[in-house]
Amino acid sequence: MMVAVGSLVGRLGMRQWGVGPSALTRGPLTACRRWAGASADTVYDVVVSGGGLVGAAMACALGHDIHFHDKKILLLEAGPKKVLEKLSETYSNRVSSISPGSATLLSSFGAWDHICNMRCRAFRRMQVWDSCSEALIMFDKDKLDDMGYIVENDVIMHALTKQLEAVSDRVTVLYRSKAVGYTWPGPFSMADSSPWVHITLGDGSTLQTKLLIGADGHNSGVRQAAGIQNVSWNYDQSAVVATLHLSEPTENNVAWQRFLPSGPIALLPLSDTSSSLVWSTSHDHAAELVSMDEEEFVDSINSAFWSDANHTDFIDSASTMLHYVVALLKPTKVSARQLPPSIARVDAKSRARFPLGLGHAVEYVRPRVALIGDAAHRVHPLAGQGVNMGFGDISSLVHHLSTAAFNGKDLGSMSHLTGYETDRQRHNTALLVATDILKRLYSTSAMPPVLLRTWGLQATNAVSPLKALRKVCPSIPERNHNTKRQICARRRKVSKTMLKGITNRLRFIILICDMNSELRVHRLCSSGKPSETRGKFSCTCTCGRGSIVFISSRK
Amino acid sequence: MWRGRKLSSCGVRFLETLGFGYPSTLAELPLRTSWSGNLQIKPWVFIEHRTMWFRAYRMTFSCLTRIKSYRSSWKRLCSTSQTTVDSNEVKTFLALAHKWWDEQGVFAPLHSMNDLRVPFIRDNLLKTSANHQLGKPLSGMKILDVGCGGGLLTEPLGRLGASVIGIDPVDENIKIAQHHKSFDPGLRKRIEYRACSLEEIVEETAETFDAVVASEVVEHVIDIEAFMQCCYRVLKPSGSLFVTTINKTQLSYALGIVFSEQIAGIVPKGTHTWEKFVSPEKLESILESNGLSVQTVAGMLYNPFSGYWHWSENTSLNYAAHAIRSKVQEHPEPAELFSKRETEELSANASTNPCVCEELKK
């Protein structure tokens, strides 16, 4: 692991770069035949290879930058142009969690307004909890600011395309163009060779550019052609995505994530009635989930969120112990565990899966080349940071390039590219390592790691500065009672195959019957006296402690 | 960078010392290449061949320069009959001509100095003009880069939209600069290079430039007074002169010559002569006496470990100065100008800062 960390860090500081392989034999320089306005003599200032979310946003940000007013930028996209004439009524299954920092970047070139006019969902709270214990961490913002936004990828792409069209005098977009070969500039002593990067496209035409930005995904062609080493491994996990419909409309501004031993399952709000699912699990289970019938799929999601089957006595007592300590020291920091909304059905044909892995390029830059987004780093979706890291790369690189352009510098010069690399490698390496550790820590149900992570999570929840990573507000005043009242006010449906868990050491004894039956909920508080409630509500709290399970019945 | 050449009678002896000095420059290379990154070519083989070629070239070159200097003295461009170009300096820079554009090579400190001097020039020029074109802040300006060398400073100025003429007495430098700019279509028309000295173009370019840049030149020039007079003549009224050079202090000897050249090899040996360094006070007095009123003097510091320059309050090593040609049209007498400047200063200060005014009166 330490070796992996060492290699992940790469070489910050003094670098040694040789000449990249000018391996591919290219034909004679032919004039570009595809579009008017460009001759064989045209040297682009920047070419962005890859028109995905990060590549298009990079081209947009550069096009809208004031110091790039007279520069020529080109965006190469292998796919066709996607025109979104009308928003479909159903939500797409690929969504991204956009952090406030990324939202600021998108609004700096006007794309965020388009997104807000189409559709996006802000969430204010995030609950992350374990399946093997009661430990949870609640991220929240005190001032009712949004923690993040859930936006469909298609909506973001459409907004970016619109903003690219607004600066079409500076930014040219070539669709259905894939770069097949690159020729790197020779060393300074070979004075007769061209100092620019030459890109050969699929149709044989060539382009020259002062700076090539690789934004072509985790199998980046630019990175491979430049010979940049990539530290990567595949997780034995696939992510299953789907669009789900809730049992009943709710405020739905909370993001939920539960760590199961097979992998984390997350529910991201899309609207009052629907949410998006991202469930990382083993390859076999993922294939099973995608192929099973809808009702079974819905039940497995609900039980994944609600089941306490993985709890063990030892862990529960250990966590209770720390819980008492925390309650003694900081009574206001105790959070009550809430349950996510139950799922009623899934959108037909919205289930999909894709494999997961980790990747990190050892160098982000070479002379006249820079990597951004997934080409530079690939991360597990458990933290929702993949595209946000890419947008962070864009902010940093645009800042460096803008300053360089205002100083009249050669855009491909290593002096400012290494500044970008140092900035971002520091940030991204830390996040990648943390995400990988979290993934490994939560992939097991063995006792020691479970104990460690239970206490760790509870401590983190109690000690507010550690949550500052997510810019969470420190105090959660009087949450218990408020939460209970809120929960009590809601009613939820119960599905037929809800699990039955009875143990007298749990604070709750839940007897769950099918929908038309009566419910009985017993709660044992610390004094050992049961208090029974029947019917629609289960809301008991005399001592203010313990987690609450809210179930209602139809009756 | 530097320009000026004066044929001295002991030029031949200098040639010989430089011939001896050349292999020692080679000896500095291991230190530099380890610092400056991994070059794929082997410098030894490359440079040994060049040594032979340079020696032959230098012999013919010295004859040519002798002819050129006779021609120039005939023209009597400035009040002095001799040019300001120093032949020894020409030799030194000829030897390094092909290394201009290696950003991690011998000229790395000059490349990174652009981070300071380009914003310095750009911001001071932007103050003088009201219309700023987006993306090309210096468009419409005519700039003269004296001692441009390989064009390290000329190209960024060209990219910012100015029309730049770069002059350098070393032909090889101009060739390298021309070749480098030929690849970039945006620069081809905006930059023009000429292999000549400042005195040779004073007549034809009198009062045509919005700005003259003499960066790392003044410490290589024989006669600074004459040089500044020529600068004055080519500037438009209220045109700007930008000078960056090295101070003449004990610290600059210790760090600038002993450490930089002999120990660490940051600067090639023989590049600088301490006697020719100019202190800011001396520079200011020369500028003022030639009709150029000094606006700013700021110190610059180089960090050899990071390779970056920083602005500093301390001018005891490197410094940059910005002066403006005063609006008086004819070439003024030194004494007259001095009293004029004093009264101008007093009136300016009286309106802005009464304390300073009182100090002046004291």
Side-chain angles (χ1 to χ4, degrees), chain A residues 406-407, chain B residues 117-126 137-138 160:
Chain A
F406 194 42
N407 288 349
Chain B
R117 33 183 198 176
V118 175
F120 182 65
I121 297 169
R122 175 198 74 210
D123 293 339
N124 283 310
L125 285 179
L126 284 178
L138 297 182
L160 289 178

Side-chain angles (χ1 to χ4, degrees), chain A residues 14-19 41-43 66-71 187-189 191-196 208 210 403 405-411 413-416 418-419, chain B residues 35 37-41 46 98-104 114-115 118-119 122-123 126 133-137 155-157 159-160 179-180 183-185 188 305-306 308:
Chain A
M14 266 312 167
R15 310 171 31 101
Q16 290 198 337
W17 58 88
V19 178
D41 197 32
T42 314
V43 179
I66 48 167
H67 298 129
F68 273 74
H69 198 263
D70 288 346
K71 306 256 187 261
F188 78 99
S189 60
D192 287 329
S193 68
S194 164
W196 315 128
Q208 300 179 77
K210 297 179 187 171
T403 317
F406 194 42
N407 288 349
K409 269 166 121 171
D410 180 0
L411 287 176
S413 160
M414 284 299 281
S415 56
H416 52 268
T418 43
Chain B
W35 144 298
N38 198 13
L39 297 174
Q40 294 291 331
I41 49 156
F46 186 78
H98 284 266
K99 302 187 194 151
W100 280 107
W101 286 101
D102 181 10
E103 284 185 28
Q104 273 73 37
N114 276 347
D115 289 339
V118 175
R122 175 198 74 210
D123 293 339
L126 284 178
Q133 203 187 18
L134 275 182
K136 296 235 179 310
E155 287 201 6
L157 293 175
R159 277 189 211 110
L160 289 178
H179 181 78
H180 195 266
F183 290 111
D184 191 344
R188 274 180 216 148
F305 305 107
S306 70
Y308 289 112

Side-chain angles (χ1 to χ4, degrees), chain A residues 2-226:
Chain A
M2 290 315 291
V3 172
V5 169
S7 56
L8 263 182
V9 167
R11 283 165 285 186
L12 303 172
M14 266 312 167
R15 310 171 31 101
Q16 290 198 337
W17 58 88
V19 178
S22 55
L24 300 168
T25 51
R26 53 185 181 90
L29 266 173
T30 53
C32 300
R33 297 184 291 266
R34 286 174 57 99
W35 65 100
S39 63
D41 197 32
T42 314
V43 179
Y44 285 95
D45 291 287
V46 180
V47 166
V48 182
S49 177
L53 288 182
V54 175
M58 182 80 212
C60 229
L62 285 177
H64 286 261
D65 187 271
I66 48 167
H67 298 129
F68 273 74
H69 198 263
D70 288 346
K71 306 256 187 261
K72 293 195 279 285
I73 302 160
L74 180 72
L75 177 64
L76 289 175
E77 164 58 26
K81 182 169 183 176
K82 289 176 198 162
V83 182
L84 200 70
E85 275 134 16
K86 202 187 108 177
L87 268 185
S88 69
E89 279 173 24
T90 52
Y91 284 86
S92 151
N93 61 0
R94 293 305 305 270
V95 302
S96 302
S97 161
I98 303 292
S99 66
S102 304
T104 312
L105 171 73
L106 290 170
S107 63
S108 72
F109 47 82
W112 191 245
D113 293 327
H114 295 308
I115 292 173
C116 292
N117 291 338
M118 282 188 272
R119 58 187 177 207
C120 82
R121 187 72 172 187
F123 62 93
R124 303 236 165 88
R125 268 184 295 131
M126 183 164 176
Q127 178 175 295
V128 179
W129 76 110
D130 202 343
S131 66
C132 297
S133 71
E134 295 280 330
L136 70 91
I137 184 165
M138 179 78 83
F139 296 99
D140 199 326
K141 278 213 169 182
D142 183 32
K143 297 164 193 166
L144 296 179
D145 281 342
D146 301 325
M147 266 194 76
Y149 308 90
I150 307 294
V151 191
E152 294 154 89
N153 290 357
D154 288 339
V155 168
I156 305 178
M157 264 323 294
H158 182 71
L160 292 173
T161 313
K162 255 180 152 175
Q163 285 307 100
L164 281 173
E165 282 164 11
V167 284
S168 53
D169 53 335
R170 276 158 255 165
V171 183
T172 317
V173 188
L174 286 187
Y175 292 99
R176 300 183 196 273
S177 317
K178 195 170 176 190
V180 296
Y182 303 95
T183 307
W184 308 110
F188 78 99
S189 60
M190 285 167 56
D192 287 329
S193 68
S194 164
W196 315 128
V197 178
H198 290 259
I199 305 165
T200 314
L201 299 179
D203 67 349
S205 52
T206 49
L207 307 165
Q208 300 179 77
T209 178
K210 297 179 187 171
L211 174 66
L212 172 66
I213 298 182
D216 38 358
H218 62 90
N219 288 324
S220 168
V222 173
R223 188 187 66 220
Q224 284 162 14

Side-chain angles (χ1 to χ4, degrees), chain A residues 54-55 58 213-216 370-377 390 393-394 397 420:
Chain A
V54 175
M58 182 80 212
I213 298 182
D216 38 358
L371 299 175
I372 57 173
D374 275 7
H377 43 74
D393 292 346
I394 295 176
L397 187 55
Y420 153 72

Side-chain angles (χ1 to χ4, degrees), chain A residues 229-248:
Chain A
Q229 201 192 336
N230 189 37
V231 176
S232 67
W233 53 82
N234 289 321
Y235 292 129
D236 52 355
Q237 282 186 346
S238 291
V240 174
V241 292
T243 313
L244 308 171
H245 290 269
L246 308 179
S247 318
E248 55 193 18

